[in-house]
Amino acid sequence: MLNVVIFGKPGSGKGTQAAIIKDKYGLTHISTGDVFRKNISQGTELGNIAKQFMSKGELVPDKITIAMLESEIKGFMPCNGFILDGFPRTILQAESLDKLLVNLNLKIDLVIALDVPNKNLINRLLKRGKTSGRSDDQSKEKIDIRLEEYDNKTKPLIIFYENQKKFYSIDGVGSLTDVNIRLVDVIDSKCND
Ligand code: B4P
């Protein structure tokens, strides 16, 4: 079983790359952003709460996000392994994930960050905003808030996972194929250790 976290700033390509590699390794892809967006489009109670935070570029509160992730993981068991995209995004989420996985006799094997400069991220997200209809992609101000949320709440996870000796970073700039090759190289080299 292989459990991988795809990590990075907003717009770094986590969802894009996770969707490509899930088939290669037969993994179950869980994107917390996608689950929230599905709930928003269905008008569920969870969606209505998530919308208040996502539309401002803020993270959804930990309690709600952790409960949702737990139910997603349990709902997909048994499986070959997970690719987690957009989770964890805070230290509390990472600690809760470790506890959940221990209870299920599982663990995170690798955390791979896609490293992309802010200038590229802002361009990518504003470009996507023209067609996605996503409220959080609509202005530079909102994207700046998302980048601040990353610096304040998500960046500390780098040290958290470095301490666990699970953290790897790759260059996230280049074609989808180029980034994918770098990602697969890390996964294959670690799987064959
Ligand atoms: P997410 O849905 O996770 O999305 P993201 O950070 O915006 O983007 P991602 O890195 O997946 O980039 P993508 O592949 O789409 O989060 C949205 C919001 O949900 C958060 O702000 C938060 O409010 C909430 N949320 C989610 N998880 C949460 C959690 N755990 N806790 C609390 N709140 C949570 O790529 C972006 C664009 O770049 C696309 O248009 C893509 O086509 C393009 N692109 C990708 N790779 C490229 C490349 N190599 N070159 C050029 N363009 C590229």
Side-chain angles (χ1 to χ4, degrees):
M1 188 154 185
L2 173 69
N3 296 307
V4 184
V5 171
I6 302 290
F7 184 87
K9 291 182 178 182
S12 55
K14 302 181 291 291
T16 306
Q17 290 299 328
I20 302 174
I21 63 168
K22 72 180 166 71
D23 292 331
K24 179 172 171 65
Y25 297 97
L27 302 179
T28 298
H29 175 197
I30 299 180
S31 157
T32 38
D34 284 350
V35 180
F36 283 136
R37 281 185 288 276
K38 188 167 138 213
N39 276 275
I40 291 172
S41 70
Q42 292 172 345
T44 66
E45 193 184 337
L46 172 66
N48 291 337
I49 297 170
K51 191 176 174 181
Q52 295 168 35
F53 297 92
M54 289 172 75
S55 62
K56 288 188 276 183
E58 294 171 6
L59 292 185
V60 179
D62 278 340
K63 202 171 162 206
I64 294 165
T65 309
I66 291 165
M68 180 188 86
L69 192 275
E70 200 168 324
S71 129
E72 287 286 314
I73 287 196
K74 287 182 175 162
F76 282 114
M77 292 287 289
C79 68
N80 286 336
F82 292 98
I83 177 155
L84 299 181
D85 143 25
F87 189 99
R89 265 173 149 108
T90 65
I91 293 283
L92 185 63
Q93 290 182 14
E95 289 171 345
S96 305
L97 178 64
D98 279 352
K99 277 188 208 145
L100 167 69
L101 294 181
V102 165
N103 287 336
L104 297 170
N105 232 348
L106 303 175
K107 66 175 170 51
I108 293 297
D109 297 293
L110 291 172
V111 176
I112 308 174
L114 305 176
D115 186 22
V116 180
N118 285 7
K119 180 173 61 94
N120 303 51
L121 298 172
I122 293 165
N123 288 340
R124 284 184 191 182
L125 293 173
L126 287 174
K127 186 174 165 204
R128 180 173 67 185
K130 288 183 187 158
T131 52
S132 68
R134 276 179 59 168
S135 59
D136 54 348
D137 285 345
Q138 295 306 316
S139 69
K140 176 160 182 317
E141 289 66 33
K142 274 189 195 168
I143 294 169
D144 284 342
I145 293 172
R146 291 163 67 188
L147 291 169
E148 275 168 33
E149 287 277 85
Y150 171 88
D151 284 340
N152 295 333
K153 298 177 182 170
T154 309
K155 200 173 168 193
L157 288 178
I158 295 176
I159 292 175
F160 181 91
Y161 283 116
E162 277 177 349
N163 288 340
Q164 294 192 3
K165 304 201 184 324
K166 293 176 180 171
F167 188 82
Y168 300 86
S169 180
I170 60 164
D171 183 1
V173 179
S175 70
L176 301 192
T177 308
D178 286 346
V179 177
N180 191 251
I181 289 170
R182 292 174 203 140
L183 193 53
V184 166
D185 274 353
V186 174
I187 297 175
D188 286 349
S189 67
K190 296 301 142 195
C191 286
N192 295 328
D193 262 0

